[in-house]
Amino acid sequence: MKLNWKLFAPLVVAILVWLIGAPEGLSPNSWIYVSIFAGLVVGLILEPIPPAFIGIIAVTVSMLFKVGPAPIVDKATGVAKAITDAQAISWGLSGFSNAIVWLIFAAFMIGIGYENSGLGRRIALFLVAKLGKSSLGLGYAIAITDLVLAPFIPSNAARSGGTIYPIVSSICPMFDSYPDKNPRKIGSYLNWVALATTCVSSSIFLTGAAPNPLALELSAKSGIVAANWGTWFLAFLPVGIILFIITPLLTYVFCKPEVKGSPEIAAWAKDEYKKLGSMTRSEIFMALISVLALVLWIGASTFKINPTTTALIVIILMIFTKIMTWQDFLANKPAWNVLTWFATLVPMASGLKNVGFLEWLAKSAGGSLVSLDPTMAVLGLLLAFCLLRYFFASGTAYVTAMVGLFATLILQIPGVDPAQVMLILLVPMGIMGILTPYGTGHSPIWFASGYNKGPEFWKLGAIFGIIYLAIFIVVGIPWIQFVMPLLG
């Protein structure tokens, strides 16, 4: 029987880190936690078992060793008290009461509403019928479809897998374009447009990708409250508009389709759209509920309604209007999986601060940042934050491992607004998912389709990543520096 080395790699790494021994400034218990966290990160990168299960293991081991919670210091003696079982358990399960975790969970349920009601398919077919008379127009139809769905479906994997991919996979064979036969006719172009535009929409909206709200939550736990839904949207707006407009054009240049016109596709989409008939009761209700959700999310501060409360209200309304049933709610394994996953990652990430690791790391690495010009320091952090994506097979794993660390480093840079700098690092997370076939949730879907082979995928990822990041640096950073002070 062949052993799976990936299964043992997290354990080996954790033991090796522990054997190195705690550096000066960190306690042995702190170093035990760091070694557990190192094993967690390796496990999330390699994924030998489901990542949510890896998170449960890491939290359980941390609770077993009673490391992770912030120690309580005796006011009289100034000595930290020993962590009790109750404190360890309370810390380990704290993620299950986290509002952001439930927001992400609820949003996955909202995706089921789009699928069950048929509203997502109707939107896609309508746009293809209107814009699909040319290959370029078809690219924009795919882009607009994803843009419309992005604020409401925070899983880019769910958007691609549930709505966009089925449409694209139906179009390509009509031109005799398959992964192993004539992929350049139109298949490789449409697949890359779908991948790239979903990366863009994942940055435009806070709810465009699941790791976005998680990143803000972890940032806040590290001492930097960076943004809300509206601030995030406004911060990326100019770059988002530019990238949304140029992405189908860039793909047309770097992945040019052999087929220039596709009137057959527009006709096919029009026929399919006609077959749908008038909007059903479920579609109408889903559209109204979506508008209500968007209004409440944007105006959360005005209406004094927490975004998580809004998401839970949407679930209740979908069940009451029979868009989804209680059995649909219970059977949504991806949603329950992400709830478990994120609920374990939130306390694990906060534990790095609790045990003093981030403070120690900041003192060790922050000296070099202090000596740099603030602008150069911010650019250096941005480049490092983006390029590290190459080493992570999950946006969630990346956020968990890196946000707390970079938040600590930001706080070491003199003369900058930490919230502004953190926002500069976080909003490009979606577009940097373009770099690899594994960097974000929807990438494996399009890579596995086979229309863009391995070498081409990596090459296109590097080209688009460089272009996207350059535009963000030239346009996005000055815009954020201008608009953030105006928002107070």
Side-chain angles (χ1 to χ4, degrees):
M1 181 178 178
K2 187 177 180 180
L3 292 176
N4 183 0
W5 67 270
K6 291 183 179 180
L7 191 61
F8 296 97
L11 178 62
V12 171
V13 169
I15 293 174
L16 288 176
V17 171
W18 176 71
L19 288 175
I20 291 172
E24 185 178 353
L26 282 180
S27 68
N29 278 349
S30 298
W31 196 245
I32 290 174
Y33 185 81
V34 171
S35 65
I36 295 171
F37 193 86
L40 167 66
V41 172
V42 172
L44 292 176
I45 293 173
L46 298 179
E47 291 192 10
I49 54 179
F53 187 41
I54 295 172
I56 290 177
I57 293 173
V59 165
T60 303
V61 173
S62 299
M63 290 191 296
L64 183 65
F65 282 96
K66 297 185 179 65
V67 293
I72 298 176
V73 179
D74 189 298
K75 293 182 179 179
T77 63
V79 178
K81 298 179 181 179
I83 294 172
T84 64
D85 284 330
Q87 286 175 293
I89 292 172
S90 178
W91 164 81
L93 299 180
S94 61
F96 287 94
S97 62
N98 186 280
I100 297 297
V101 171
W102 279 95
L103 171 62
I104 297 169
F105 165 81
F108 268 74
M109 290 294 178
I110 295 172
I112 293 293
Y114 271 83
E115 182 179 345
N116 285 2
S117 67
L119 182 61
R121 177 175 171 80
R122 179 179 292 275
I123 292 170
L125 289 174
F126 174 80
L127 291 171
V128 172
K130 296 296 182 183
L131 301 174
K133 292 182 181 179
S134 69
S135 297
L136 185 59
L138 195 55
Y140 278 102
I142 292 170
I144 293 172
T145 301
D146 182 79
L147 185 71
V148 171
L149 297 176
F152 310 104
I153 305 178
S155 167
N156 47 30
R159 294 202 303 277
S160 285
T163 301
I164 310 299
Y165 181 77
I167 297 296
V168 172
S169 62
S170 298
I171 293 172
C172 298
M174 295 184 67
F175 290 90
D176 196 32
S177 181
Y178 300 90
D180 55 351
K181 180 185 177 184
N182 304 322
R184 281 298 211 175
K185 263 195 170 180
I186 200 169
S188 57
Y189 166 74
L190 294 182
N191 273 252
W192 192 262
V193 167
L195 166 73
T197 53
T198 302
C199 287
V200 174
S201 66
S202 296
S203 271
I204 292 177
F205 303 105
L206 175 60
T207 46
N212 293 347
L214 178 64
L216 287 184
E217 177 68 12
L218 298 181
S219 173
K221 285 184 175 294
S222 300
I224 302 177
V225 178
N228 53 32
W229 199 100
T231 307
W232 182 290
F233 177 76
L234 187 61
F236 196 74
L237 185 58
V239 177
I241 292 172
I242 294 170
L243 296 187
F244 181 80
I245 292 173
I246 70 170
T247 291
L249 288 169
L250 285 174
T251 309
Y252 201 86
V253 172
F254 292 105
C255 198
K256 194 168 185 176
E258 296 172 358
V259 176
K260 302 300 184 292
S262 53
E264 299 93 338
I265 298 302
W268 167 80
K270 188 175 182 180
D271 290 341
E272 290 293 312
Y273 186 81
K274 285 182 179 179
K275 291 178 184 178
L276 295 177
S278 57
M279 288 186 70
T280 64
R281 171 184 171 277
S282 292
E283 288 176 292
I284 294 172
F285 278 132
M286 191 67 222
L288 293 174
I289 292 171
S290 297
V291 172
L292 173 65
L294 189 58
V295 169
L296 293 180
W297 274 331
I298 294 174
S301 58
T302 302
F303 298 111
K304 307 297 182 184
I305 299 178
N306 187 280
T308 303
T309 305
T310 296
L312 294 174
I313 290 172
V314 169
I315 291 177
I316 293 171
L317 291 175
M318 289 194 301
I319 293 176
F320 270 129
T321 54
K322 298 182 179 180
I323 293 172
M324 62 182 286
T325 66
W326 184 247
Q327 288 304 314
D328 291 331
F329 179 84
L330 296 178
N332 191 347
K333 291 182 180 179
W336 291 107
N337 179 69
V338 83
L339 173 68
T340 306
W341 188 6
F342 283 19
T344 56
L345 294 182
V346 166
M348 286 301 297
S350 68
L352 288 173
K353 181 180 180 181
N354 293 342
V355 302
F357 176 74
L358 294 181
E359 183 181 355
W360 170 84
L361 189 63
K363 290 179 179 178
S364 302
S368 59
L369 290 175
V370 172
S371 62
L372 288 176
D373 175 78
T375 301
M376 296 305 298
V378 172
L379 284 176
L381 286 181
L382 175 63
L383 291 174
F385 194 73
C386 292
L387 292 176
L388 283 169
R389 287 296 287 272
Y390 275 106
F391 300 98
F392 289 88
S394 158
T396 303
Y398 171 73
V399 161
T400 304
M402 292 295 142
V403 168
L405 168 60
F406 276 79
T408 306
L409 293 176
I410 288 170
L411 293 172
Q412 303 301 307
I413 305 175
V416 299
D417 178 356
Q420 186 181 108
V421 178
M422 179 56 79
L423 195 58
I424 288 172
L425 299 190
L426 295 185
V427 291
M429 287 195 305
I431 57 176
M432 286 298 100
I434 197 79
L435 292 174
T436 68
Y438 50 76
T440 187
H442 67 293
S443 298
I445 296 172
W446 300 107
F447 181 67
S449 71
Y451 280 99
N452 302 101
K453 305 299 181 186
E456 180 189 29
F457 204 105
W458 284 93
K459 182 183 75 173
L460 288 172
I463 292 171
F464 276 68
I466 291 170
I467 294 172
Y468 285 178
L469 185 57
I471 292 174
F472 178 76
I473 291 173
V474 173
V475 178
I477 293 179
W479 168 254
I480 291 174
Q481 292 173 334
F482 167 74
V483 78
M484 282 289 286
L486 299 179
L487 299 175

